[in-house]
Amino acid sequence: MQQQLVDGTNVLKIDFFDSIGIQLIPEVESFRSGLMPKNQILETFKRIDKLPFSNLDIRFSDDTWDFSATTDLPVSKTKLVFYFDSSSAYCEPLKMYVLDGILKKNVKIRVLQNKVISVMRFLKQFEAEGYKVYSRVPKTAFKRLFDDMEDTCSYNTVCAYKGHLLRFSDFYERNFEELADKSIRKFLQDRNTAKLNDIKHANKTPEVPIDYFPVFLDAVKAIMRDEKEGPEDRITAATIVLYSQIGFRTAELFTVKTASIHNVYSPNKDKPLYYMDFISFKHGKGESGGTIAHTYINSLSREAYNLLEELCREYRNNLGVDTLLVTKFQKNATTTAQQYSTRYRKFVMRHWKELQCLNIGDDYEDLSFFEVGTFFQPDKDGYYTYDKNADWAKDLQMDDRIYYPTIRQFRVSVCTSLYRQQVPLHYIRKHMNHLSEDMAAYYIRPQKNLEKEYSETIYRAVFKDGSKMLGTNGDAFIQKINEFIEQNHMNIQDDMEGVIRVVAKKFPLRSKVGGMCIRCGEVIPCASNNSTDVIYCAFGMCPNHCHMFFMADISYEEYLQNRDTAQYNKDNGYKKAYQKEVNKLKYIIEHSLMPELTMLKDELERHGEEDILEKYPQLTYIVNHLDSIKQEVQTWM
């Protein structure tokens, strides 16, 4: 699905002009490009005591810089506020650092705020030790603080703090003065990359335990469908269903509007396929930027969506919003991740019997937990969240533990489930709205070699079934593998599966749109790898792009999409756009679809329809309509 960048209504507006349109600083472009060795613009804003944001009234001298009004998306507003201590010797450099980061738009404000808080922690300690000029802080002071951190923080957290201080140091040296001790830079840069990678993989969020997932989901579905349950619990149950089926990031669900479900008809389906619109923040720029994304949904997701439309209608009307999820006591257009987290955990605790989630840590150590007593402690005003005598609470002890899957675990489970169904990473990336295939792969559990099964499937078709690898370099690539098998004295007849496993490890294949890349096993990375999804692999233009006959369903879908787009442009008189789509269409037909259809016909003659459809059920429609599809396709050649 195509994505469209969007901006919220309260985008931060930077204005380098005064009230009558005179540009305040002539070197604006040099500043933005990072060419200026010293940020003279920052001094100007300090001097006039006004920050250059036309839709915000913030003075440089203010102790609080509040940017929370710059977004209407469901992000934490507290992460958009900076607090400064005017009595601190580091107040001015910190303000300069914040302003520099915002004006250059190198990072989102909420990300910058997190980095600044880290830096503030160290600067406050330096000042307490008597070091009031950053450039004169000795290396021993840095080392002492980081040594103390290692006792309480993980190694990756320590390295993150070093990175934050290193960036602040770079800024300070450009705009104030160089550090007296040159070895500080090397100290802040020093890190064990291998150790960081090990920690990163060890800390990956696990999927929801496979044998517990259906127990949990069946109970949630029952609560969602039970009209005797309170509307608030049914609302929460419906949201859990959506998270478990779609794999939303937490805040993405809050962006879904009413009337966000649409349908399309697939040629091999009698019923329509449904998809949902939502906004993802990952691709957006700034605080209010996002991407209109789309995700296909199943019947269970539609059921949950329709229930939310119904149960939240009154709350929605009271607020005058069109947000799908609106709760009874909600005051703003959207809820927040923190509010939802509390709501979710309360739901799990109230329904602990149905969810079978009490004290199950020994069996399901990958689940998160909280102690029951957490929700029976009085708040600051002395009020209790729950009555200990409530029916569902009578059998609970304060030290009992309630276990539950996190929202992130649902996302991991969806991603992993798709991969286990042999869905190519390219399509997983699109469905999960990931920035890259590598990020889609990162979410897959628990696969050490992410393309191992995919590669083995391809090689099994080639060596066991005798199928041909299509593509410019397909024959040469298979010849290269045959030479490897021969040189290593492997007998493919006696140990077919063993040889396939060795070959898949030596020559791993990476799934690409409509095929696979045969260059991924090379020592030298493919120079086109970063852009293959967009330019090369999208239409099979790369010589390293190969494909198999059983990928004809993907090529046919690509053909239909481009055919319909071409016809739309033609009907509306868009001649140039029409010709562009026709050229793309012809390339797909000539280099992908027709070779696959031709090879499919050969395979049907060799192995028979029953055998082919048993192995590749996705080809059912194409096999049943092979001749008519070929005839239609040829009209575009």
Side-chain angles (χ1 to χ4, degrees):
M1 303 294 287
Q2 292 184 344
Q3 296 176 332
Q4 176 185 351
L5 291 176
V6 295
D7 283 321
T9 57
N10 301 323
V11 180
L12 180 63
K13 298 175 182 178
I14 299 176
D15 189 359
F16 286 97
F17 296 80
D18 66 14
S19 59
I20 58 173
I22 302 298
Q23 188 165 322
L24 295 172
I25 304 296
E27 304 91 347
V28 169
E29 291 308 318
S30 294
F31 161 63
R32 282 176 168 167
S33 64
L35 296 177
M36 296 179 64
K38 184 175 181 179
N39 195 343
Q40 297 156 357
I41 292 181
L42 302 180
E43 290 290 343
T44 300
F45 295 128
K46 173 191 170 184
R47 175 173 51 80
I48 65 176
D49 197 24
K50 181 73 170 67
L51 302 194
F53 309 118
S54 58
N55 56 337
L56 292 175
D57 183 18
I58 302 177
R59 297 193 172 279
F60 187 90
S61 59
D62 290 342
D63 289 340
T64 301
W65 290 5
D66 188 348
F67 294 90
S68 60
T70 62
T71 182
D72 48 11
L73 297 178
V75 298
S76 175
K77 300 298 189 291
T78 60
K79 295 184 180 298
L80 300 175
V81 183
F82 296 86
Y83 298 99
F84 303 99
D85 179 4
S86 58
S87 64
S88 170
Y90 293 109
C91 181
E92 181 178 315
L94 278 169
K95 287 184 175 180
M96 295 280 198
Y97 181 57
V98 171
L99 189 55
D100 180 84
I102 294 175
L103 295 180
K104 286 183 177 177
K105 299 183 179 180
N106 292 332
V107 65
K108 292 181 179 179
I109 294 177
R110 55 186 180 271
V111 176
L112 177 62
Q113 192 239 29
N114 180 59
K115 299 178 186 295
V116 170
I117 289 176
S118 300
V119 173
M120 282 181 172
R121 172 180 175 178
F122 280 83
L123 297 184
K124 184 177 181 179
Q125 188 62 36
F126 290 150
E127 190 167 10
E129 295 179 6
Y131 303 113
K132 297 189 177 183
V133 179
Y134 186 71
S135 59
R136 298 173 191 171
V137 179
K139 178 182 175 181
T140 53
F142 282 88
K143 192 174 185 306
R144 182 170 57 255
L145 291 183
F146 278 106
D147 286 344
D148 292 341
M149 279 190 67
E150 290 177 357
D151 295 333
T152 56
C153 299
S154 65
Y155 183 72
N156 56 330
T157 300
V158 171
C159 290
Y161 272 94
K162 282 188 174 182
H164 299 332
L165 272 178
L166 181 62
R167 281 184 283 274
F168 178 77
S169 299
D170 289 340
F171 167 81
Y172 192 90
E173 288 193 313
R174 287 197 313 270
N175 293 277
F176 294 91
E177 60 182 346
E178 294 186 357
L179 304 185
D181 189 341
K182 301 300 180 184
S183 65
I184 291 176
R185 170 174 291 279
K186 187 176 185 304
F187 171 75
L188 294 176
Q189 290 174 329
D190 183 42
R191 64 204 60 207
N192 187 329
T193 304
K195 184 176 180 179
L196 280 175
N197 287 333
D198 290 342
I199 293 173
K200 175 182 176 182
H201 289 287
N203 291 340
K204 280 185 175 181
T205 301
E207 64 179 316
V208 182
I210 295 176
D211 52 344
Y212 179 68
F213 202 163
V215 174
F216 180 86
L217 186 57
D218 285 348
V220 170
K221 289 189 294 184
I223 295 168
M224 178 182 75
R225 293 165 177 166
D226 188 353
E227 295 183 359
K228 295 180 181 178
E229 290 283 354
E232 289 299 307
D233 275 358
R234 296 184 70 198
I235 288 172
T236 304
T239 63
I240 296 171
V241 166
L242 289 176
Y243 281 122
S244 72
Q245 300 300 295
I246 296 174
F248 279 128
R249 298 178 180 91
T250 303
E252 287 175 346
L253 176 58
F254 311 153
T255 70
V256 177
K257 308 287 187 181
T258 55
S260 290
I261 290 184
H262 315 282
N263 66 70
V264 293
Y265 280 85
S266 175
N268 59 343
K269 299 284 185 181
D270 296 331
K271 298 180 180 179
L273 298 173
Y274 293 90
Y275 67 93
M276 178 192 297
D277 300 332
F278 65 98
I279 296 177
S280 174
F281 313 131
K282 282 292 182 179
H283 302 265
K285 296 182 179 180
E287 300 316 307
S288 208
T291 304
I292 295 179
H294 318 279
T295 180
Y296 284 105
I297 61 174
N298 57 20
S299 58
L300 179 58
S301 299
R302 282 182 59 216
E303 180 186 352
Y305 177 96
N306 291 335
L307 184 64
L308 288 174
E309 276 207 326
E310 174 190 342
L311 295 181
C312 298
R313 184 175 292 116
E314 180 182 348
Y315 309 146
R316 202 178 294 121
N317 292 337
N318 291 340
L319 283 178
V321 299
D322 60 353
T323 312
L324 178 68
L325 173 61
V326 183
T327 59
K328 185 175 182 179
F329 299 106
Q330 189 171 311
K331 297 180 180 180
N332 299 314
T334 59
T335 188
T336 66
Q338 183 177 359
Q339 289 169 340
Y340 182 84
S341 176
T342 301
R343 180 187 186 90
Y344 175 41
R345 289 186 294 128
K346 287 181 178 179
F347 170 88
V348 171
M349 188 168 70
R350 283 196 300 271
H351 295 280
W352 63 271
K353 289 183 180 180
E354 302 99 301
L355 298 173
Q356 301 178 39
C357 60
L358 183 67
N359 298 325
I360 58 174
D362 290 341
D363 296 324
Y364 303 112
E365 59 182 16
D366 286 338
L367 294 176
S368 295
F369 70 88
F370 58 87
E371 290 192 351
V372 170
T374 303
F375 285 100
F376 287 93
Q377 296 172 356
D379 62 17
K380 62 180 181 179
D381 296 320
Y383 292 103
Y384 287 84
T385 304
Y386 289 120
D387 181 1
K388 297 178 183 179
N389 295 318
D391 289 340
W392 57 265
K394 288 180 179 178
D395 297 328
L396 292 175
Q397 302 298 319
M398 293 302 102
D399 58 351
D400 280 338
R401 289 183 172 183
I402 303 291
Y403 286 79
Y404 64 99
T406 65
I407 304 303
R408 189 177 178 87
Q409 280 183 285
F410 289 135
R411 184 168 177 79
V412 171
S413 290
V414 170
C415 201
T416 303
S417 176
L418 290 172
Y419 186 76
R420 285 177 180 152
Q421 296 174 54
Q422 298 186 2
V423 176
L425 285 179
H426 173 82
Y427 291 103
I428 296 177
R429 175 180 67 81
K430 293 176 73 174
H431 177 78
M432 304 304 292
N433 202 40
H434 283 136
L435 296 172
S436 67
E437 281 187 14
D438 289 340
M439 182 53 68
Y442 176 81
Y443 272 81
I444 294 170
R445 309 289 188 272
Q447 193 72 30
K448 293 182 179 178
N449 185 346
L450 297 171
E451 293 290 352
K452 178 176 176 290
E453 293 178 10
Y454 179 80
S455 300
E456 289 180 359
T457 299
I458 299 297
Y459 290 132
R460 196 171 289 114
V462 171
F463 294 112
K464 187 175 182 178
D465 300 337
S467 301
K468 180 179 175 61
M469 181 178 284
L470 304 170
T472 304
N473 290 341
D475 290 341
F477 181 67
I478 296 301
Q479 178 60 33
K480 180 179 179 180
I481 293 176
N482 283 326
E483 291 174 357
F484 169 79
I485 293 173
E486 183 178 347
Q487 291 169 1
N488 288 273
H489 308 291
M490 291 185 285
N491 192 323
I492 199 167
Q493 300 301 325
D494 294 342
D495 187 16
M496 175 72 72
E497 288 300 318
V499 172
I500 287 175
R501 286 194 295 270
V502 172
V503 169
K505 184 176 181 179
K506 177 66 177 178
F507 302 95
L509 302 171
R510 174 177 291 177
S511 62
K512 295 286 185 179
V513 56
M516 63 276 187
C517 176
I518 62 175
R519 184 73 187 275
C520 297
E522 298 282 342
V523 175
I524 302 175
C526 177
S528 305
N529 191 51
N530 289 336
S531 55
T532 48
D533 281 341
V534 179
I535 301 175
Y536 295 106
C537 292
F539 301 106
M541 297 178 182
C542 179
N544 296 312
H545 181 281
C546 292
H547 49 117
M548 305 292 291
F549 78 91
F550 49 78
M551 298 171 180
D553 61 315
I554 299 174
S555 298
Y556 187 51
E557 289 286 352
E558 293 286 334
Y559 158 79
L560 291 175
Q561 291 180 15
N562 282 272
R563 181 201 66 181
D564 293 345
T565 303
Q567 190 62 50
Y568 174 83
N569 290 332
K570 181 180 180 180
D571 294 343
N572 287 275
Y574 305 140
K575 295 182 179 180
K576 289 185 178 180
Y578 167 71
Q579 190 57 52
K580 181 180 178 181
E581 292 301 325
V582 168
N583 292 339
K584 289 159 60 176
L585 195 59
K586 289 181 177 179
Y587 200 98
I588 292 172
I589 294 171
E590 181 180 350
H591 292 83
S592 296
L593 184 55
M594 279 304 290
E596 290 166 0
L597 295 177
T598 302
M599 191 58 62
L600 173 58
K601 187 172 183 180
D602 293 343
E603 293 288 330
L604 288 169
E605 292 175 355
R606 287 200 309 129
H607 299 286
E609 181 177 318
E610 183 177 350
D611 182 64
I612 292 298
L613 292 183
E614 182 179 353
K615 290 181 179 177
Y616 312 110
Q618 74 272 20
L619 297 178
T620 301
Y621 178 85
I622 294 178
V623 169
N624 292 337
H625 301 83
L626 184 57
D627 291 335
S628 61
I629 290 175
K630 290 183 72 172
Q631 289 176 7
E632 180 200 345
V633 166
Q634 287 171 346
T635 63
W636 290 92
M637 296 182 69

